[in-house]
Amino acid sequence: MLSDVVGKLPEAVESRDGYQRTSFRHWNVGLDPADGCHTRSEVLLAEALEPPQITGSCVLSGGRWFSYYDEQTVTDPAKLDIDHMVPLAEA
């Protein structure tokens, strides 16, 4: 289970030396800049158990996802955070 593996990670003192948030862009235009889907939408589409409807400029509605972190099923893409596996300050 994910929680068992995470529990085995070593702990260390955090260092933010050299970190500047402005060095990292928010979302890029994704694989196909013409379709209006930025990276967040592409991740949601790729990880959906049931694909959402896509309207307008890649507005997602419906669909179904499974959260490995809390073992919950989510049906509203607005309630999902797509985040970095490693905090930007630690990258």
Side-chain angles (χ1 to χ4, degrees):
M1 179 178 271
L2 181 62
S3 60
D4 295 331
V5 176
V6 170
K8 294 179 182 178
L9 291 173
E11 292 184 32
V13 175
E14 182 174 340
S15 171
R16 293 189 175 238
D17 292 342
Y19 170 70
Q20 293 180 350
R21 177 63 181 103
T22 55
S23 297
F24 299 90
R25 294 177 49 188
H26 191 58
W27 297 112
N28 68 26
V29 296
L31 297 174
D32 180 3
D35 71 3
C37 291
H38 50 59
T39 305
R40 179 183 191 280
S41 297
E42 289 181 353
V43 169
L44 288 170
L45 290 167
E47 295 190 359
L49 299 175
E50 288 179 18
Q53 298 295 316
I54 306 169
T55 59
S57 297
C58 200
V59 175
L60 307 181
S61 63
R64 188 169 61 93
W65 295 264
F66 180 75
S67 169
Y68 297 99
Y69 298 101
D70 57 8
E71 299 183 349
Q72 299 292 311
T73 299
V74 180
T75 57
D76 179 357
K79 297 205 182 278
L80 291 167
D81 288 326
I82 305 301
D83 211 343
H84 308 276
M85 295 304 291
V86 175
L88 293 178
E90 302 295 330

